[in-house]
């Protein structure tokens, strides 16, 4: 059985397991630290909390905070205790914790089903569980045991994962710059000097590429997952291309944010899997990558074809495919088959992103 034949037999399950946690949201008073900031305490962090912060961070799991308190007092205490750098989002106020979690998921551009929440107050946990049943909740006395739970153990821990917090904190600086442009989003995107580097996956890329297939849901064309061994086999196949996309801008490097697995036939260039990290969904780079793949296929005399398997969350990928000129032509084994008319391709549109191909 060829790697591609094997891939065709593996459709996504109807009831997938809950995804690995991408972000742990912490209550602060009496959860992260031993005391209450507004009661004039100078609370120290619990030792087991510090250990969990570090252990999860090394696995690429982000941290955020949702606290009932005064924002200035809490952020000052986080800074004074040297804790502020651990957190990629902080929401402090007097509203419902569920509202804070929604804001955090939106800020980090991740699904609510990838959030976890830890709080010492059972009433706060109950409010979140009722409003957001997809969010996993834990009492504060379990903080030290969270790293041992399977939902906090990604299948792959890559170098990219260990830098995830830094990448998200860089994204904060981008958001601050975006606010300066107000509603003129196109001017903001033009100011970023976005560059996408598309190249064949190397041995060092395989673990990160496999991680992307597991972590990425909203911008995933088929929902198939590949581990490093499967991607290695496809990379070695003369009839397949496995390529990774890396993105950078004037603020720094986003890291590897995209993956394309293509089968080449004498007549067609078949996109078996294309995905983009949710972190860059707002940059419009999914369309840029598809546009490049379409032009490349047409230049080589092949018809651009793509497979799409709908899920509960990947409708945006279908929209992106349609804007790139792909149109439905058939249904095979539960997959939608789309193709670009070679005589009438969609107009080329690179947006604000420059594409560089080949080895770095």
């Amino acid at each position: 059985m060829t790697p591609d034949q094997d891939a065709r037999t593996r459709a996504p399950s109807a009831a997938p397991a809950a995804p690995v946690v991408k972000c742990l949201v912490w209550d602060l008073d009496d959860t992260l630290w031993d005391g209450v900031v507004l009661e004039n305490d100078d609370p120290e962090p619990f030792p087991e909390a510090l250990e969990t912060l570090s252990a999860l961070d090394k696995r690429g799991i982000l941290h955020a905070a949702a606290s009932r308190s005064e924002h200035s007092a809490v952020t000052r205490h986080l800074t004074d205790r040297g804790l502020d750098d651990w957190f990629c989002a902080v929401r402090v106020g007097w509203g419902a914790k569920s509202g804070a979690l929604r804001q955090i998921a939106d800020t980090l551009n991740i699904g609510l089903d990838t959030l976890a929440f830890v709080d010492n107050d059972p009433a706060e946990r109950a409010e979140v569980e009722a409003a957001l049943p997809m969010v996993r909740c834990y009492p504060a006395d379990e903080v030290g045991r969270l790293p041992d739970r399977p939902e906090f153990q990604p299948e792959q821990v890559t170098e990219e994962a260990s830098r995830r917090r830094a990448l998200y904190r860089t994204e904060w600086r981008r958001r601050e710059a975006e606010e300066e442009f107000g509603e003129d989003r196109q001017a903001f995107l033009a100011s970023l000097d976005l560059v996408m580097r598309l190249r064949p996956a190397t041995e060092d890329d395989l673990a990160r590429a496999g991680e992307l297939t597991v972590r990425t849901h909203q911008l995933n064309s088929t929902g198939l997952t590949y581990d490093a061994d499967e991607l290695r086999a496809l990379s070695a196949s003369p009839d397949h291309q496995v390529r990774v996309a890396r993105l950078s801008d004037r603020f720094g490097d986003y890291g590897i944010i995209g993956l394309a697995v293509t089968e080449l036939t004498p007549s067609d260039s078949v996109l078996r899997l294309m995905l983009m990290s949710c972190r860059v969904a707002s940059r419009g780079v999914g369309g840029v990558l598809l546009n490049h793949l379409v032009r490349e296929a047409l230049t080589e005399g092949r018809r651009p074809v793509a497979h799409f398997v709908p899920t509960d969350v990947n409708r945006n990928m279908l929209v992106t495919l349609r804007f790139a000129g792909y149109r439905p032509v058939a249904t095979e084994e539960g997959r939608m088959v789309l193709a670009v008319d070679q005589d009438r391709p969609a107009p080329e549109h690179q947006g604000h992103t420059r594409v560089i191909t080949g080895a770095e």
Side-chain angles (χ1 to χ4, degrees):
M1 180 177 289
T2 68
D4 188 60
Q5 287 171 329
D6 177 58
R8 284 197 296 267
T9 66
R10 297 180 290 107
S13 60
V20 171
V21 170
K22 292 184 179 180
C23 177
L24 176 61
V25 183
W26 296 72
D27 171 52
L28 299 178
D29 293 332
D30 292 324
T31 299
L32 177 64
W33 48 57
D34 187 11
V36 179
V37 169
L38 286 187
E39 292 179 359
N40 295 318
D41 290 344
D42 186 18
E44 295 186 6
F46 291 109
E48 59 268 29
L50 293 177
E51 292 173 2
T52 294
L53 281 168
S54 178
L56 299 186
D57 179 73
K58 290 175 181 176
R59 299 174 191 178
I61 295 174
L62 305 174
H63 296 288
S67 177
R68 284 184 180 274
S69 191
E70 293 292 341
H71 187 273
S72 59
V74 166
T75 54
R76 182 169 58 250
H77 189 67
L78 284 168
T79 301
D80 291 346
R81 285 291 179 179
L83 298 169
D84 55 317
D85 193 49
W86 286 111
F87 295 94
C88 293
V90 176
R91 294 291 179 268
V92 181
W94 301 105
K97 290 286 181 72
S98 60
L101 265 65
R102 286 192 179 95
Q103 293 174 2
I104 288 168
D106 183 63
T107 296
L108 300 180
N109 200 18
I110 59 178
L112 285 163
D113 61 343
T114 66
L115 289 186
F117 176 59
V118 59
D119 197 308
N120 69 298
D121 188 338
E124 298 282 21
R125 297 196 304 272
E127 187 273 327
V128 170
E129 289 171 342
L132 304 173
M134 71 292 290
V135 175
R136 286 155 281 188
C137 298
Y138 308 90
D141 59 11
E142 290 189 18
V143 159
R145 296 188 291 275
L146 292 182
D148 297 327
R149 298 182 66 96
E151 61 266 37
F152 291 92
Q153 298 182 31
E155 184 176 345
Q156 297 280 351
V157 179
T158 64
E159 179 185 355
E160 192 91 11
S162 67
R163 297 193 305 116
R164 187 161 289 123
R165 171 166 52 104
L167 293 173
Y168 271 86
R169 289 185 66 83
T170 300
E171 184 62 21
W172 262 8
R173 296 197 294 274
R174 293 186 181 102
R175 285 177 177 267
E176 291 174 349
E178 184 174 6
E179 291 176 1
E180 296 177 3
F181 283 87
E183 297 182 0
D184 193 348
R185 178 160 185 76
Q186 293 304 311
F188 166 68
L189 291 175
S191 77
L192 288 177
D193 297 327
L194 287 159
V195 177
M196 179 188 294
R197 291 174 171 82
L198 181 67
R199 56 173 170 76
T202 66
E203 181 65 29
D204 292 340
D205 297 325
L206 296 180
R208 168 57 177 162
E211 179 192 46
L212 269 176
T213 71
V214 174
R215 294 178 63 93
T216 305
H217 303 285
Q218 295 177 15
L219 291 176
N220 187 322
S221 60
T222 59
L224 294 176
T225 61
Y226 295 92
D227 60 25
D229 289 339
E230 291 171 314
L231 290 171
R232 186 177 296 109
L234 287 167
S235 296
S237 167
D239 299 325
H240 292 80
Q241 292 178 330
V242 178
R243 288 180 286 184
V244 294
R246 193 177 194 104
L247 190 68
S248 63
D249 65 15
R250 64 185 175 91
F251 289 96
D253 188 10
Y254 293 79
I256 292 175
I257 48 78
L259 173 69
V261 178
T262 307
E263 180 189 11
L264 301 178
T265 75
S267 59
D268 293 341
S269 176
V270 185
L271 189 59
R272 297 296 188 185
L273 172 67
M274 187 277 212
L275 57 83
M276 278 281 162
S277 169
C278 298
R279 291 188 293 112
V280 297
S282 63
R283 300 292 183 259
V285 292
V288 172
L289 176 55
L290 280 173
N291 185 276
H292 176 82
L293 296 176
V294 167
R295 301 298 156 185
E296 180 183 70
L298 293 174
T299 299
E300 295 172 352
R302 293 187 175 95
R303 182 182 62 150
V305 177
H307 285 181
F308 178 78
V309 177
T311 69
D312 292 338
V313 294
N314 72 345
R315 177 171 172 77
N316 282 344
M317 176 56 80
L318 179 58
V319 173
T320 304
L321 285 163
R322 295 298 299 270
F323 271 113
Y326 288 91
R327 297 290 181 266
V329 294
T331 300
E332 297 177 356
E333 301 176 351
R335 291 182 174 85
M336 182 186 299
V337 180
L338 305 99
V340 174
D341 186 338
Q342 292 171 275
D343 297 323
R344 300 172 58 189
E348 185 171 0
H349 177 66
Q350 292 287 60
H352 302 288
T353 304
R354 182 163 57 98
V355 179
I356 299 175
T357 60
E360 292 181 306

